[in-house]
Amino acid sequence: MERLDKRVAGNLTRFYVVALFVVALLTVSGLFLVRRTIRNLNHDSRIVNVAGRQRMLSQRLTKLAILKVNGIDHRDSVQFNALLALWKDSHEDLVSRRLPIENGFVTWKSQPLDTMFQELTPVFDRIHNNLLVIDRDSVAVSDKQNALAEVLAAEPQFLSQMDRIVFQFDKESFERLENLERIEWILDLMTILVLVAEGLLIFRPVVNTTRRVVRMLTESEDALQLSNQKLKEANSQLVETQKELLRLEEEKYELQLAEDRIRAGALIEGQEEERKRFALELHDGIGQMLTGLKLHAEKLKAVQFHDEKHQKRFEQLVTLIQDIIQTTRQISFNLMPSVLSDFGLASALKLLCQQAADLSGIRVEFEGETGERIFMSRPMEIGLYRIAQEALNNAVKHANADRIKIKLEQNKNRIVLEIADDGKGFLISNLKSEGQFLTRNGMENIRTRTQLLNGEIEIVSKVHSGTRLVVQVDL
């Protein structure tokens, strides 16, 4: 079937394209010939008009010459010399076969007309020269009368010859029209033959092929219905199997997600325990030792140093010990702030904002109720605090912000944590396409902690319009 379709389609396409091309060619040729003939007929009428006008001009010039030689008054307003120049120019245009029209010139080719104009030229020159003599005021009256006699003698011959020229123009125009009619008949006949051939070579094979294909389709319809019934039964079994496989895959995926979530939760919980232990070690161990070192150093302040340089070095040492103690306390607070377990999340976030503002010089604000503690589980408090801490660090390091705001509120049975800045912002699409960007800015850690809390996260950011991160967790 497929090979038959391709073969039939190829043959029909070739025949149809050839037939359309021939019909179009014949139609365009006929239109071209008709338009060209119409244009030529218009030009022929212009030529006949000019040739007929020459007869009229010669008679008018003869009349004006008679009136002028005899001194008879007349009401003809045309100038004799202007009319004579027009008559001469028109004759030269006809002789040169180049007649000016509005958009150019009309040219023609005719050996009989060329011969007639050659025979007419001596008669025209004779009349024209005598008319020039009559037009001159300095010529004697007797000479003008002789010239007028020459004009009257040559005028019948000129008019007769012009009649022949006009009739020849008309004859050639009629012959071109008859030639166009013959060509039109030929083109019409060829178009009819092409249409007949198209019916025999294209439409008849199409009918035969269609009849054969329909018969083949009718014969195969029963077999196809039977095959469809079998396929339908097999498809039903396949759908059931696919549903079962899909259910198993979903269960496997859910189980894998649960395992990943438990593993991540255990990892984060272990990290938090390790941070807590390390913070206690710093605070109770190194912190106490540094505090003792500071006390001993302060006792040595009473000792008088003989060298002023030694005194300055001792003061620098005391300052350095104080800076180390402050840095140790800051590290211990970042690892596990004691205010989080003593006073709750709101107080810890407020203290975090104050420390960030002191260290970075950026205006960091906290909005929330610190007087009344929101009761939530210990992992939830730690998770939300780490999310706020990570987002705040991102804003300080990357956003180039002038103002950062952390907002904590309880909406019925839901905790809403919002971190917003007025920094440079970023394209949300970069979070999906640039893995290094996610790791560098801690967004993946924030999402992971939000998922472990069964919460929802929303990130709104535009370039040069700041960033807003909202985390919502059910109590």
Side-chain angles (χ1 to χ4, degrees):
M1 290 294 296
E2 182 179 359
R3 297 174 61 183
L4 178 61
D5 292 342
K6 290 183 178 179
R7 185 171 65 254
V8 172
N11 293 333
L12 292 179
T13 301
R14 285 193 294 271
F15 283 126
Y16 194 66
V17 169
V18 171
L20 288 180
F21 177 77
V22 173
V23 171
L25 181 62
L26 293 174
T27 303
V28 173
S29 300
L31 293 175
F32 174 76
L33 290 174
V34 170
R35 187 170 182 179
R36 181 179 178 184
T37 303
I38 292 174
R39 185 173 64 251
N40 292 334
L41 290 175
N42 292 332
H43 294 165
D44 291 344
S45 63
R46 178 66 61 85
I47 296 172
V48 171
N49 290 334
V50 173
R53 189 184 63 182
Q54 286 294 93
R55 296 180 74 261
M56 180 273 294
L57 291 178
S58 66
Q59 293 175 344
R60 192 174 180 183
L61 286 170
T62 302
K63 181 192 72 171
L64 293 176
I66 294 173
L67 296 176
K68 189 170 185 178
V69 170
N70 296 322
I72 302 173
D73 294 334
H74 58 87
R75 296 183 180 180
D76 199 335
S77 60
V78 70
Q79 296 292 331
F80 184 82
N81 55 357
L83 194 62
L84 182 60
L86 176 61
W87 187 57
K88 182 177 182 299
D89 293 339
S90 298
H91 178 77
E92 292 176 351
D93 292 336
L94 292 173
V95 172
S96 63
R97 295 177 297 178
R98 188 176 177 84
L99 186 66
I101 58 175
E102 291 79 4
N103 299 325
F105 294 90
V106 176
T107 59
W108 62 90
K109 294 181 180 179
S110 177
Q111 185 62 36
L113 289 174
D114 292 341
T115 303
M116 291 180 183
F117 277 114
Q118 290 177 2
E119 295 174 355
L120 181 64
T121 299
V123 180
F124 175 83
D125 292 339
R126 178 182 173 187
I127 296 175
H128 181 264
N129 293 331
N130 287 288
L131 289 176
L132 288 177
V133 172
I134 295 172
D135 187 45
R136 297 193 191 100
D137 295 334
S138 59
V139 178
V141 176
S142 59
D143 294 335
K144 289 183 179 183
Q145 289 177 351
N146 294 332
L148 179 58
E150 291 290 335
V151 170
L152 292 175
E155 184 184 11
Q157 184 180 359
F158 177 81
L159 295 177
S160 176
Q161 191 68 18
M162 284 304 301
D163 288 339
R164 292 177 56 204
I165 291 174
V166 171
F167 291 151
Q168 182 64 27
F169 271 123
D170 185 67
K171 178 181 177 182
E172 293 181 359
S173 177
F174 184 73
E175 289 176 353
R176 284 192 290 270
L177 188 60
E178 288 183 338
N179 187 36
L180 173 64
E181 185 177 359
R182 287 192 296 269
I183 295 175
E184 280 294 321
W185 275 107
I186 295 174
L187 292 177
D188 292 341
L189 182 60
M190 292 179 63
T191 303
I192 293 174
L193 292 177
V194 170
L195 293 177
V196 172
E198 185 177 0
L200 294 176
L201 299 177
I202 297 178
F203 292 107
R204 186 176 179 182
V206 167
V207 173
N208 295 332
T209 303
T210 304
R211 184 185 298 113
R212 185 171 60 255
V213 171
V214 170
R215 185 176 62 252
M216 294 173 64
L217 291 176
T218 303
E219 293 174 354
S220 63
E221 184 177 0
D222 295 336
L224 181 61
Q225 290 180 354
L226 181 60
S227 299
N228 287 338
Q229 184 65 29
K230 293 181 179 180
L231 287 176
K232 186 176 181 181
E233 295 175 358
N235 189 34
S236 300
Q237 297 178 359
L238 181 61
V239 169
E240 294 296 330
T241 305
Q242 288 179 345
K243 289 182 179 179
E244 184 66 20
L245 289 176
L246 182 61
R247 185 182 62 81
L248 293 176
E249 288 293 331
E250 290 179 352
E251 291 180 355
K252 181 180 178 181
Y253 179 71
E254 293 294 336
L255 181 60
Q256 185 176 0
L257 287 180
E259 291 177 354
D260 293 340
R261 190 171 298 174
I262 293 173
R263 189 181 298 109
L267 180 62
I268 291 177
E269 185 177 356
Q271 290 178 349
E272 294 297 337
E273 291 296 330
E274 186 65 21
R275 287 179 177 179
K276 181 179 179 180
R277 186 188 65 80
F278 192 63
L280 290 175
E281 290 291 338
L282 286 176
H283 185 271
D284 297 338
I286 298 177
Q288 296 298 329
M289 295 172 62
L290 290 174
T291 302
L293 181 62
K294 177 185 176 184
L295 293 176
H296 285 296
E298 288 179 347
K299 290 180 181 181
L300 293 177
K301 286 184 178 181
V303 178
Q304 297 293 330
F305 291 92
H306 299 288
D307 191 352
E308 185 177 356
K309 292 182 179 180
H310 292 167
Q311 181 70 29
K312 290 183 178 181
R313 289 177 181 175
F314 177 73
E315 292 176 356
Q316 292 176 355
L317 178 61
V318 173
T319 303
L320 179 60
I321 293 172
Q322 182 64 33
D323 293 339
I324 294 174
I325 293 173
Q326 185 65 29
T327 303
T328 304
R329 289 176 179 174
Q330 182 64 37
I331 295 174
S332 176
F333 177 83
N334 290 333
L335 289 173
M336 183 57 65
S338 59
V339 67
L340 180 62
S341 57
D342 296 338
F343 300 100
L345 180 60
S347 300
L349 291 178
K350 183 176 181 181
L351 182 58
L352 177 66
C353 292
Q354 293 175 357
Q355 292 181 350
D358 295 338
L359 293 176
S360 64
I362 300 174
R363 182 183 175 186
V364 184
E365 301 176 352
F366 173 75
E367 180 180 340
E369 294 293 336
T370 58
E372 182 178 355
R373 181 172 181 175
I374 302 175
F375 291 98
M376 62 184 73
S377 63
R378 177 68 175 170
M380 185 177 293
E381 277 189 336
I382 295 176
L384 291 175
Y385 179 80
R386 295 302 182 194
I387 290 173
Q389 189 180 37
E390 193 74 53
L392 182 60
N393 290 334
N394 282 344
V396 171
K397 293 180 181 179
H398 305 288
N400 294 333
D402 297 326
R403 180 174 177 268
I404 304 173
K405 181 180 180 180
I406 297 180
K407 181 180 179 181
L408 179 68
E409 64 178 355
Q410 180 179 1
N411 186 5
K412 295 182 179 180
N413 198 31
R414 171 168 286 202
I415 298 297
V416 180
L417 175 64
E418 179 180 341
I419 302 95
D421 64 73
D422 60 353
K424 62 183 180 180
F426 58 90
L427 294 176
I428 298 297
S429 58
N430 291 340
L431 292 178
K432 301 179 180 178
S433 59
E434 299 183 8
Q436 296 181 356
F437 182 88
L438 294 175
T439 303
R440 184 173 64 247
N441 291 280
M443 298 302 297
E444 189 64 28
N445 294 332
I446 293 175
R447 284 179 172 170
T448 301
R449 289 185 179 273
T450 304
Q451 291 176 356
L452 292 176
L453 295 176
N454 293 323
E456 299 175 358
I457 183 172
E458 180 185 6
I459 303 173
V460 180
S461 180
K462 293 182 180 180
V463 179
H464 307 303
S465 298
T467 303
R468 184 170 67 92
L469 186 146
V470 181
V471 176
Q472 300 185 35
V473 181
D474 293 332
L475 288 174

